[in-house]
């Protein structure tokens, strides 16, 4: 938990919901996280599978909405058919991006990669 909080604090992005999820992924499933950072489609698919396999255990109260919008964003970013997922992300964007209107949902893969890379201090220090 401390590592995730530290990663979130060091990132310059204001997207708390997305950054906390990716920070937790970096700590708990580094292979999936590194796949995302390296811009591999398999990394996005790995995160989708990771979330789908655990969403039933984690879904309690308001956490359900958060996990559903996170999963929807990852499906859209991975290029899966965006019809219902895209609307979920659009209507509940504040759960991942807060009030930041600069998060351009037309480029979901770029948003996920930017967030993941902001948590990687080696990459962030090189200005990526």
């Amino acid at each position: 938990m401390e590592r995730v909080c530290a990663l979130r604090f060091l990132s310059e992005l204001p997207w708390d919901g997305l950054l906390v999820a990716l920070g937790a992924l970096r700590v708990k499933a580094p292979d999936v996280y590194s796949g995302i950072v390296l811009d591999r489609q398999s990394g996005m698919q790995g995160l989708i599978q990771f979330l789908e396999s655990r969403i039933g255990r984690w879904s309690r109260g308001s956490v359900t909405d958060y996990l559903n919008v996170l999963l929807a964003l990852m499906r859209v970013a991975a290029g899966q058919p965006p019809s219902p997922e895209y609307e979920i992300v659009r209507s509940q964007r504040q759960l991942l991006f807060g009030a930041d209107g600069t998060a351009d949902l037309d480029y979901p893969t770029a948003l996920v990669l930017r967030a993941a890379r902001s948590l990687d201090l080696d990459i962030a220090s090189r200005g990526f």
Side-chain angles (χ1 to χ4, degrees), residues 19-72:
L19 290 171
V20 168
L22 292 173
L25 184 69
R26 182 176 178 196
V27 171
K28 296 299 271 180
D31 54 328
V32 176
Y33 172 82
S34 65
I36 292 169
V37 170
L38 297 173
D39 195 8
R40 292 194 326 244
Q41 193 68 13
S42 63
M44 298 283 187
Q45 291 297 332
L47 179 52
I48 291 168
Q49 291 171 354
F50 182 84
L51 290 171
E52 287 176 340
S53 71
R54 290 163 175 83
I55 201 163
R57 288 189 273 176
W58 293 337
S59 296
R60 306 255 192 284
S62 62
V63 174
T64 303
D65 293 337
Y66 169 73
L67 292 173
N68 283 331
V69 73
L70 179 62
L71 186 56

Side-chain angles (χ1 to χ4, degrees), residues 2 6-7 22 29 42 45 47 51 74 82 89 93 97 103 105-106 117 120 122 124-125:
E2 289 174 4
L7 289 169
L22 292 173
S42 63
Q45 291 297 332
L47 179 52
L51 290 171
M74 295 313 301
V89 174
R93 67 179 287 137
F97 303 104
L105 296 180
D106 290 333
R117 289 176 176 158
D120 190 321
D122 291 333
S125 68

